[in-house]
Amino acid sequence: MSAEPIEGSGRFGASGPADDSDAAAREAAADLLRALASPTRVAIVLSLRERGQCVHELVGHLGLSQPLVSQHLRVLKDAGVVRGHRNGREITYELLDDHVAHIVVDALVHANETNRGPSVVSG
């Protein structure tokens, strides 16, 4: 397995100096990663990638208290990761798009690879 350089690869923009839109995109990406920087929020995203769920379903699935799940959902909602649809007294939460689920799954795959021992990257 070989590592590809990110800077100058053309995949995320030109290799010249970063402009303001690049800086704004990096800041938005960092905000998203901060919102996901919790094992509980990762578990919520994984649960919601299967289907939308209300808070009590997430509480039962995750084995956590309702206030704790609600607090984490608020962080994810503020970060634009999930949205809620009210139906009477219940709010069903769903992922805004599949990109976040892909990020979380890729991070888990990477973590599992890392836990199996160091990999050798030739360059």
Side-chain angles (χ1 to χ4, degrees):
M1 183 165 126
S2 65
E4 291 184 26
I6 293 174
E7 187 174 1
S9 68
R11 185 169 178 202
F12 296 106
S15 60
D19 62 19
D20 288 342
S21 64
D22 289 340
R26 288 192 304 271
E27 187 63 34
D31 289 343
L32 172 63
L33 293 174
R34 278 190 287 276
L36 295 172
S38 161
T40 298
R41 291 192 289 272
V42 167
I44 289 171
V45 169
L46 291 172
S47 293
L48 293 178
R49 82 183 185 142
E50 297 171 15
R51 64 179 178 83
Q53 297 179 51
C54 60
V55 175
H56 77 268
E57 290 175 301
L58 289 166
V59 165
H61 181 74
L62 300 173
L64 301 171
S65 70
Q66 183 273 324
L68 183 60
V69 171
S70 293
Q71 179 183 6
H72 284 289
L73 282 167
R74 189 175 317 110
V75 171
L76 292 172
K77 187 176 178 185
D78 290 347
V81 174
V82 301
R83 67 176 158 218
H85 296 285
R86 182 173 292 279
N87 184 12
R89 292 182 54 130
E90 288 188 341
I91 299 175
T92 300
Y93 289 91
E94 63 184 9
L95 295 176
L96 281 171
D97 63 46
D98 290 334
H99 291 108
V100 175
H102 289 290
I103 291 168
V104 169
V105 169
D106 286 347
L108 288 171
V109 168
H110 175 73
N112 285 329
E113 288 172 351
T114 302
N115 289 336
R116 288 189 211 130
S119 61
V120 177
V121 176
S122 60

